[in-house]
Amino acid sequence: MSTLKNKVQLIGNVGNEPEITNLESGKKVARLSLATNENYKNSQGEKQTDTNWHTVIAWGKTADIIEKYVTKGKEIAVAGKLSTRRYEDKSGNKRYVTEVVISDILLLSNNG
């Protein structure tokens, strides 16, 4: 069961062009948003779609793959873990960000 701890798997569409950053340390990081859709019928029987947006980041070779092959609109599957970090904004307020840190990626569609 220890392999199930903090495990996230998502399939969705990339919402923006990935932002690639080369750090001074030589590491590369990719950041993108991923939209996942859940379809259901409401009490009147009408089809509804609930879209959730996820901030996704990747490091190293996974960031290289994203830089080369992932574009806005592309459908991808990702596996990774949730990571929450805290920072202070310009006004001194504490802010929290939860991101999915990708360990594996699968390119699903050619569109985008």
Side-chain angles (χ1 to χ4, degrees):
M1 286 298 247
S2 64
T3 59
L4 295 177
K5 291 181 181 175
N6 196 8
K7 182 82 168 176
V8 176
Q9 295 178 323
L10 300 170
I11 296 175
N13 294 89
V14 177
N16 61 335
E17 289 300 325
E19 179 184 315
I20 309 298
T21 306
N22 293 298
L23 303 176
E24 289 181 20
S25 65
K27 290 185 178 183
K28 181 181 290 187
V29 62
R31 180 180 306 276
L32 55 105
S33 62
L34 188 68
T36 56
N37 295 316
E38 183 178 348
N39 297 312
Y40 63 95
K41 290 186 178 178
N42 65 14
S43 58
Q44 291 79 34
E46 300 165 332
K47 184 179 174 184
Q48 302 289 310
T49 301
D50 184 23
T51 302
N52 286 290
W53 290 93
H54 312 275
T55 301
V56 180
I57 63 171
W59 296 89
K61 292 182 181 188
T62 307
D64 289 336
I65 292 168
I66 290 170
E67 182 177 31
K68 288 179 186 174
Y69 302 109
V70 176
T71 56
K72 180 179 178 178
K74 187 166 195 65
E75 184 178 31
I76 62 173
V78 297
K81 65 179 183 176
L82 288 178
S83 177
T84 301
R85 57 187 173 86
R86 182 182 77 185
Y87 68 95
E88 283 190 16
D89 65 15
K90 293 176 183 176
S91 302
N93 298 313
K94 289 182 182 175
R95 301 284 184 195
Y96 295 87
V97 176
T98 300
E99 302 163 319
V100 177
V101 180
I102 301 174
S103 56
D104 295 297
I105 185 169
L106 182 61
L107 310 177
L108 299 176
S109 69
N110 292 324
N111 60 343

